[in-house]
Amino acid sequence: MQQTVDFQNRSHNALGDPQIRKNFRSAMDGLIQKRRQAFPEREALEQLRWKGEKIKANALSKLPALLAQLEENCVKNGIQVHWAETVEEANHIVLDIMNRHDAKQLIKGKSMVSEEMDLNHFLEQHGIECLESDLGEFIIQLINEKPSHIIAPAIHMNRLQVAKLFNEKFPEIPYTDDVDTMTRNARDILRRKFYEAPVGLSGVNFAVAETGTLCLVENEGNGRMCATVPQVHIAVTGIEKVVEKLSDIPTLLRLLTRSATGQPITTYFNMINAPRQSGEKDGPKEVHLVLLDNGRSRIFQDAELISTLRCIRCGACMNNCPVYARIGGHAYGTTIPGPIGSILEPQKSGLDELGDLPTASTLCGACAEVCPVRIPIPKLLNRLRFEKNRTDETGSVKGAGSGREWKEATLWKLWQILHATPPLYRIGVKIITRLRGLMPTQLGPWTSVRKAPRIAKKSLHELAQEEGFDHE
Amino acid sequence: MINNKRVYPDKPTKVYFFGTCLVDLLYPEAGVDGMRLIAREGVKVIYPQNQTCCGQPAWNSGYREQARAVARQQMSCFPNNHPIIVPSGSCAGMMRYHYPELFKGEREETTVQAFAQRIFELTEFLVHVLKINRQDLGKPIKVALHTSCSARREMGVAEEHERLLAQLENVEIAQHMRKEECCGFGGTFAIKHPEISAAMVEEKSDALLQENPERVISGDCGCLMNITGHLKQRESRLRGQHIASFLWERTNATDS
């Protein structure tokens, strides 16, 4: 499969790049540490995770009803709601709104759904300039790169690399590698754009059905600027972001910020209920909510895989993943990288396209251990490995059965016969132990960095008999 | 994945031992020493000769039908209601937590659930059921402990590994950097993604070597095969040993 080759190539390149290795390792170590300090009591953390899981699972169990309720309440509040089954539809909804206002500039807060839509690219083809206002997104937009992490999009670059980039792109600003000065410079550039852009776009962290409230978590204030300064605000989000009650929010917020960056709360937390009301002096005159499906309702139909949709996009699974920490986000080649990406993206794009991502894990379980909504990621990785190889037609997952290769399937069949037929197994083991001197010293990829293991002189089966640990 | 602390039974008169395929072929002494540790406490150990492999390789590769056939064969080896002791967090986790998943909706579902309850990882059995506490007879030694991810996160027995080593008076445990991190084995992962696996085992070995231990101890032979295979490639003198063999060596009068 081409994508396997691509993934292998990209991880090969990442592994060979000492700068990438160092940037990710130190950033991930820092984030792991911060999260740990944010949850000092194990028992309290477990309680909170249970609660988070319950809230999201509850919302998913009544997803269609909650979405209808969300729409009803948003409309009541004056927010215009749009439904998009595909990214094409979502992109056209945004374009139509832009065109209606004759808008040629869009200022954006951080939104992974807009990345999923490849919105910037789409709008630029239609003559609209998109400007990312989140600092990390702003940095990578300068070099036309994709985010390498869902909450820290430019984490693959260090301070000096950013300083060099700013110096190239903004030669009129004196060189600095001081983080605060660089941030101030970026803010100055962006501030002007906020006044110019007629439309602002943001994501949504939680959408509350009972009140029609859109919650937006951020640290830089750019999200609030996007949602309040331009005349029009468009919020784009996936349908799985809906929760039932306003009282669900404190638990999820507590889990999200602590799991993501170790912060007890972010600098800004926005709750958007309505456009500017008469008599109010600021705020957008129009607020739009675009609800994107793009394969989510298919995931929703599977009783086990549905838990994928609980994700609140904190990034803790990638921070703690030993594979992600070494290859970084770009190697995955998907919008969402890391463990959650390896279960979510193949379900969305199909196992025929991304069926090998679920194999990019040792199933070490570090992701599930930290997930704030207790998504059993290793279990779902295992399930997708099964779906990829299954032979029957009942699989509900897109591309199920597409990865089955007769060579591999035959090997497993032989493996089965050997291990389900004890006399055969014992003879096999006896032969291998007696011929251990003839074992090859090169065992393909295994011996690229290891010596081949040494077969014992006598198997445990034999030794157990000799020591009198018999059959009953 | 986190194991809620289980309630342990009283010391039984008989147990079964499931040696695992890696131990069978590569580390049989670990299996023998595990059985000796149990037998020394006055418990009869039965090693059924019809056992082969728990089925985990196929299960983790998505070949569930094949895994089921092999799992069925294993379960038939342990007909009586004795505890089944497994000297591996990974294989114990397979039998305790994944067998019930593997047989969900199959006619044996309830039998399999009951079977899974009888599975004990070796160190948890030594600590909680046999409550072993033997005198350390060995010379002072500094060792590093690598606890497998399944022992730590699935079986929840990392503390039991540490506790057993801490009982040994002359043993110093070196605390290495990122000790909770995976060594990069992951079964077929090491074959499917050899370069990532290589980067992981290299860094794990660096962290271990940095503490200058005389031995690496682990309760899982997959990790041992991975780490020591790499250490040998690097021509390091650091050797690995299964925790069962280490415990036996330190506490057995005639061996030390």
Side-chain angles (χ1 to χ4, degrees), chain A residues 153-174:
Chain A
I155 201 92
H156 56 290
M157 296 174 77
N158 64 21
R159 180 174 56 101
L160 297 175
Q161 290 171 304
V162 175
K164 199 168 148 249
L165 175 65
F166 276 15
N167 196 236
E168 271 168 39
K169 299 286 175 180
F170 309 109
E172 67 283 4
I173 302 172

Side-chain angles (χ1 to χ4, degrees), chain B residues 20-34:
Chain B
T20 83
C21 60
L22 273 186
V23 167
D24 196 23
L25 209 55
L26 302 175
Y27 300 89
E29 68 289 349
V32 171
D33 293 334

Side-chain angles (χ1 to χ4, degrees), chain A residues 386, chain B residues 64-65 68-69 72 75 99-113:
Chain A
F386 165 66
Chain B
R64 293 190 177 181
E65 198 192 315
R68 234 183 331 264
R72 248 183 217 119
M75 289 189 288
Y99 274 17
E101 291 172 47
L102 187 56
F103 285 89
K104 210 169 168 201
E106 301 283 319
R107 71 192 149 73
E108 310 102 306
E109 192 175 340
T110 20
T111 342
V112 174
Q113 280 165 357

